[in-house]
Amino acid sequence: MLLNGTIDQSAREPVLTLGLGRAGRNRHTTTLNTNFAPNNPLHSVLNLLSGVRPSNNGYEAQCPAHDDQRASLSISEGEDGRALLHCHAGCATEDVCKAIGLEMSDLYPPATNQSGRGQIVATYDYRSADGDLLFQVVRFQPKAFRQRRPDGEGGWIWKLGDTPRVPYRLQELIEAPPEERVHIVEGEKDADNLADRGAVATTCPQGAGKWSKLSDDSVLEGRRVAIIADKDDRGRSHADDVARRLHGRVADLRVLELPGDGKDVSDWLASDGTLDQLNDLVEATPCYSPHSERPAESRIQTVIGVRPNVFIDTEEHRVVAETIAALKIDPDLYQRGGILVRAIRDRHPADGVLRCEGLATIQAVPAANLRERMTRYAEFTCLDRHGEDVASHPPGWLVSAVAARGEWEGIPRLMGVSDTPILRPDGSIWQTQGYDHGTGVLFDPATGASFPPVPDEAGLDDAKAAVDHLLGVVCDFPFESDEHRSAWFAALLTPLARFAFAGPSPLFLIDANVRGAGKGLLVQAISHLVLGREMPVSSYTHDREEMRKKITAIAIAGDRMILFDNLEGSFGNDALDRALTSTRWKDRILGKSEEVELPLIPAWFATGNNVQVAADTMRRIIHIRLDCLSERPEERTGFRHDNLLDWIDANRGMLLSAGLTIVSAYLRNGAPQQSLKPFGSFEGWSSVVREAVVWVGLPDPCLTRTKLAESADITGDALGQLITAWREYDGSGRGVVISELLRSLYPSSQGTPTNDDAGLTMRAALENLVNCPPGKV
């Protein structure tokens, strides 16, 4: 055993033991067990240094080239296997080597077997999906590893450069049937030994802790995966890191150690382990959970990663960086708009938006919760007054510094939270509960929710069949025209397809000619189908500053859908107009001085009767109008679905599958264009939702915008007519009392109305403005 520079030859398996003492301070010695390779440059250097301790990117030690009272020397391993040295006090690498009796060449591993410094005993090919050789991992004797890539002329370049790092045996992963379990191990030899016995196996290049360097591991998404950990601290930490990165992205995830005295899969197989036995062990292992707690002595166990230690001192930059590195494995922590956030159900901010219980919202992580998370994923120590290493709480300055960082490498960015499977831009659908790295969306269905799978090969006929299912939802509603029914259909598809197109989506305005026609039920039908509950409701205000605050609250919470209900008077102001044509919202958080820039991607809805829309808002709206001829529409009977929302809730899975099938089929079939007129500011929405609606045979939903614009022009003409009539009625310009005006124009049954030219003109202007029959104002 190597202990502070000495080797115990009696040790059965040589290990590297690093004394982590600080110069001039009596800290406890920490032991790090690692395979000891005599020709490994990193180990050779560490063997000769004092005060060595792990750091965020490798190790730290006292620099031997100057009188170092602090750990000023950083030591790490480069991609080509060489030892990298950097003295923060400015000592040259050559001086550091001379101080410990090494040559610069000793920092490099054996180059080739011709050098006499090592013999190549194995090579492992890493190939692209097409089978092209990207690079090799080369194993030397004595044990050392290097990577090389073809130079295109029959030779090798002994570094990877920008070569993409792919999973080992990538072609076999791609060709394996989807139901086959994939075994992730630590090392190419283990993967080959499993593959020789008929298993599907893979690993990552460059050893433990390097899974994050893979350029793409999406080949595992939706697969059944078993991670087999090497039985040492490094192997367990590596398995835990891989598991946390794959959690939520694969269909089934198990993490285990194999029984027996061997360290890895190869040892277990050499001890007569069989593939059938391995399959039994995997099936007996519970599914992985990031917070599972199982007895350490359990032979078949979910791996709980060893928490890294963060030493608290005055090097605040290091303490903050190491804390953030530890938080990267928190599966419930995200960043959004420069703040750390979490997704929560059943708790809603008091922000003026009315939400149903059980709806997921996004909230900034409170300082107390951030501190709790730190202690869950890291251990904190400091020196007491005697210079001893003792456990510590994260100090307040550390919690504040982590929260204020603004960028957190390795912590995923959260675009939104979805209750339904996520439609991607290529038409594929993320249906596994958890975070989708492709869209940045967390799929978090409500407890008990289930969704039928959407067929991968759906075509136009399947999409048209899905249309019939969905139109059955609104068969009892009196739409003004087929175009308005098509506009409702586009409103339904918009939240389902929201993460499949870039840019904003228009607001869907649902109005009617009379009260009780079913506007609210029509919009809640969409909400129950998409969210499984009623839509979040925000009041609309004409005041631009108040409207801005409401939109900021919507952006912070990450609401997928928002309803402005029961509009009265004119609708539209510059704050709303800006929100409807933006996907980013920049504003100050209420009660704080900091400014945030957040995603703003809800599907917008509004309801009202005979709504007057401001001119600038007009071009941002798709109109859905109900035209009910019944004098008392609320008393109608004979509906196909007597309780529509209950029927939707009971058939939600089928209806959602139908909606996703339509847009998925459209995208997977090449998104055939339908020669529609451009819709400025909403090109992304138009190219996916609008085009898909027309593709399945429904009218263009944007046709309703023409009639709405005409009504706005009529309103403008009516106002002009009223102004002209007012000037004629009040020729002297002294003003008119409204109550006297109305009594003059519309007297009681005993009175006689004013019938001179000015009175007739004023009466006609008022009746035209409010769109009522003569004499009925």
Side-chain angles (χ1 to χ4, degrees):
M1 176 177 294
L2 180 66
L3 180 57
N4 294 328
T6 62
I7 299 178
D8 180 0
Q9 300 291 350
S10 65
R12 175 182 299 178
E13 182 177 351
V15 297
L16 179 64
T17 305
L18 303 178
L20 302 186
R22 261 182 161 340
R25 296 180 180 178
N26 180 24
R27 296 190 63 203
H28 294 300
T29 297
T30 301
T31 299
L32 175 65
N33 293 320
T34 296
N35 284 338
F36 178 58
N39 278 23
N40 185 297
L42 178 65
H43 292 183
S44 298
V45 171
L46 295 175
N47 179 23
L48 299 170
L49 295 172
S50 298
V52 179
R53 62 176 182 152
S55 70
N56 191 41
N57 296 314
Y59 303 90
E60 294 175 345
Q62 295 168 291
C63 177
H66 74 282
D67 185 13
D68 191 6
Q69 299 301 312
R70 306 176 64 81
S72 300
L73 183 66
S74 295
I75 313 100
S76 61
E77 186 174 39
E79 288 188 354
D80 57 358
R82 62 175 166 161
L84 304 176
L85 308 180
H86 176 69
C87 177
H88 296 278
C91 298
T93 301
E94 186 174 0
D95 293 336
V96 177
C97 289
K98 181 182 289 187
I100 55 178
L102 295 179
E103 302 289 338
M104 289 289 288
S105 59
D106 293 324
L107 301 182
Y108 292 81
T112 67
N113 59 330
Q114 283 80 17
S115 69
R117 299 189 63 184
Q119 294 294 320
I120 294 178
V121 294
T123 58
Y124 305 99
D125 293 347
Y126 279 78
R127 298 184 177 274
S128 69
D130 297 327
D132 298 328
L133 179 63
L134 297 174
F135 62 92
Q136 283 185 338
V137 170
V138 181
R139 178 171 180 163
F140 294 90
Q141 182 65 39
K143 187 178 179 181
F145 293 90
R146 288 192 66 191
Q147 297 80 40
R148 64 185 184 183
R149 57 189 169 97
D151 64 2
E153 299 177 356
W156 300 98
I157 300 173
W158 287 89
K159 61 180 181 179
L160 295 187
D162 295 330
T163 305
R165 278 68 160 171
V166 298
Y168 187 51
R169 307 182 71 94
L170 176 60
Q171 282 186 298
E172 288 90 335
L173 295 182
I174 295 173
E175 295 171 359
E179 66 274 8
E180 284 285 328
R181 188 178 295 278
V182 177
H183 302 79
I184 297 177
V185 294
E186 183 185 330
E188 294 84 3
K189 182 178 75 170
D190 289 349
D192 286 346
N193 285 335
L194 277 177
D196 289 343
R197 288 160 174 79
V200 181
T202 188
T203 189
C204 62
Q206 301 177 289
K210 298 300 194 301
W211 191 271
S212 62
K213 290 185 175 292
L214 289 177
S215 57
D216 184 10
D217 62 359
S218 60
V219 67
L220 298 173
E221 290 182 358
R223 301 295 298 262
R224 300 166 65 237
V225 173
I227 302 173
I228 304 175
D230 280 9
K231 290 193 286 188
D232 54 27
D233 287 344
R234 191 181 183 198
R236 294 184 183 101
S237 294
H238 173 66
D240 195 40
D241 175 65
V242 177
R244 291 178 186 277
R245 294 178 186 279
L246 295 181
H247 177 63
R249 301 170 54 210
V250 299
D252 181 274
L253 181 60
R254 317 288 174 100
V255 186
L256 68 154
E257 293 179 12
L258 297 176
D261 297 330
K263 175 189 173 184
D264 54 27
V265 172
S266 295
D267 292 342
W268 186 78
L269 293 172
S271 300
D272 299 325
T274 67
L275 186 58
D276 287 341
Q277 291 172 338
L278 177 61
N279 290 336
D280 291 341
L281 290 172
V282 171
E283 292 301 325
T285 302
C287 289
Y288 174 84
S289 170
H291 306 307
S292 295
E293 295 182 359
R294 303 188 181 279
E297 63 273 11
S298 175
R299 295 171 65 190
I300 307 302
Q301 60 180 314
T302 298
V303 174
I304 305 300
V306 179
R307 290 187 296 167
N309 177 264
V310 178
F311 179 73
I312 300 171
D313 60 6
T314 58
E315 295 178 349
E316 295 186 9
H317 64 93
R318 174 191 57 79
V319 179
V320 172
E322 291 181 0
T323 303
I324 293 173
L327 287 172
K328 289 193 300 186
I329 62 175
D330 185 344
D332 302 316
L333 184 64
Y334 305 93
Q335 58 175 307
R336 190 170 188 264
I339 56 177
L340 290 171
V341 298
R342 58 183 179 174
I344 290 187
R345 288 188 183 272
D346 297 321
R347 277 187 60 191
H348 302 302
D351 56 8
V353 178
L354 181 62
R355 302 178 180 89
C356 285
E357 289 299 317
L359 189 66
T361 56
I362 300 172
Q363 297 182 10
V365 174
N369 182 253
L370 180 57
R371 182 186 180 111
E372 174 191 341
R373 291 171 186 269
M374 289 178 179
T375 60
R376 178 181 295 169
Y377 296 103
E379 294 177 341
F380 295 87
T381 58
C382 65
L383 296 181
D384 65 10
R385 60 191 181 91
H386 301 294
E388 297 292 334
D389 206 11
V390 296
S392 171
H393 294 287
W397 65 260
L398 176 58
V399 177
S400 299
V402 170
R405 177 60 72 91
E407 285 282 342
W408 299 269
E409 182 180 358
I411 294 178
R413 298 179 184 276
L414 186 62
M415 284 293 293
V417 182
S418 177
D419 293 76
T420 59
I422 302 162
L423 182 69
R424 293 162 161 174
D426 62 357
S428 62
I429 298 176
W430 176 261
Q431 301 186 73
T432 303
Q433 182 173 352
Y435 180 76
D436 176 24
H437 289 265
T439 59
V441 180
L442 175 64
F443 175 33
D444 185 25
T447 302
S450 62
F451 307 99
V454 176
D456 292 337
E457 304 300 327
L460 180 57
D461 290 341
D462 300 294
K464 288 185 175 181
V467 171
D468 293 337
H469 287 301
L470 292 173
L471 288 182
V473 173
V474 292
C475 59
D476 293 318
F477 287 86
F479 290 98
E480 184 176 278
S481 67
D482 290 340
E483 288 80 7
H484 289 274
R485 180 182 290 104
S486 182
W488 175 88
F489 199 84
L492 168 63
L493 296 186
T494 295
L496 296 179
R498 189 61 192 89
F499 304 109
F501 63 85
S505 60
L507 181 144
F508 294 92
L509 171 62
I510 305 176
D511 74 348
N513 60 323
V514 294
R515 296 184 182 275
K519 305 179 302 298
L521 184 59
L522 194 60
V523 73
Q524 293 305 340
I526 295 176
S527 182
H528 272 250
L529 202 156
V530 177
L531 300 179
R533 51 183 58 83
E534 291 188 1
M535 191 179 300
V537 177
S538 175
S539 59
Y540 170 76
T541 173
H542 299 283
D543 183 272
R544 62 182 302 276
E545 285 302 309
E546 289 300 316
M547 194 69 236
R548 176 186 59 78
K549 294 175 183 177
K550 291 179 181 292
I551 294 169
T552 300
I554 292 166
I556 291 174
D559 291 300
R560 289 190 64 199
M561 306 169 72
I562 282 292
L563 170 63
F564 299 115
D565 200 16
N566 292 322
L567 299 177
E568 294 181 355
S570 179
F571 176 58
N573 57 37
D574 59 348
L576 178 64
D577 292 345
R578 180 162 65 94
L580 294 180
T581 50
S582 304
T583 55
R584 307 287 300 178
W585 186 256
K586 192 172 184 178
D587 196 8
R588 290 191 308 275
I589 298 178
L590 188 63
K592 298 184 179 180
S593 59
E594 65 201 78
E595 192 173 65
V596 294
E597 185 174 351
L598 299 162
L600 182 66
I601 51 174
W604 303 91
F605 297 83
T607 63
N609 290 312
N610 298 308
V611 178
Q612 300 174 13
V613 182
D616 286 342
T617 308
M618 183 72 62
R619 70 177 187 86
R620 297 165 168 86
I621 284 179
I622 301 293
H623 191 206
I624 304 168
R625 185 169 177 83
L626 298 177
D627 188 8
C628 186
L629 301 180
S630 173
E631 185 176 350
R632 294 184 177 85
E634 67 277 5
E635 297 178 1
R636 289 176 297 164
T637 58
F639 299 118
R640 182 186 299 183
H641 308 299
D642 289 330
N643 193 323
L644 178 62
L645 297 184
D646 283 351
W647 179 81
I648 291 174
D649 291 342
N651 294 275
R652 183 179 176 225
M654 177 271 292
L655 296 171
L656 269 174
S657 179
L660 290 169
T661 295
I662 292 169
V663 189
S664 175
Y666 173 72
L667 294 172
R668 288 178 181 272
N669 283 272
Q673 298 301 294
Q674 306 300 304
S675 302
L676 303 177
K677 292 182 179 180
F679 187 5
S681 300
F682 302 98
E683 293 85 356
W685 174 86
S686 182
S687 66
V688 175
V689 176
R690 179 189 181 195
E691 297 270 356
V693 170
V694 177
W695 180 62
V696 294
L698 297 178
D700 180 2
C702 285
L703 293 177
T704 64
R705 299 176 63 245
T706 303
K707 190 167 185 179
L708 182 64
E710 291 173 354
S711 69
D713 292 341
I714 292 171
T715 299
D717 292 343
L719 287 172
Q721 181 183 355
L722 177 62
I723 292 171
T724 301
W726 193 281
R727 288 171 178 166
E728 182 178 345
Y729 189 87
D730 181 26
S732 63
R734 290 178 298 179
V736 177
V737 177
I738 297 299
S739 58
E740 295 178 357
L741 170 67
L742 293 177
R743 280 196 298 269
S744 173
L745 298 177
Y746 302 95
S748 61
S749 57
Q750 290 79 19
T752 302
T754 301
N755 286 317
D756 57 11
D757 290 342
L760 292 172
T761 301
M762 176 60 76
R763 191 159 46 238
L766 288 173
E767 292 165 356
N768 185 34
L769 178 65
V770 299
N771 191 27
C772 71
K776 297 295 184 180
V777 170

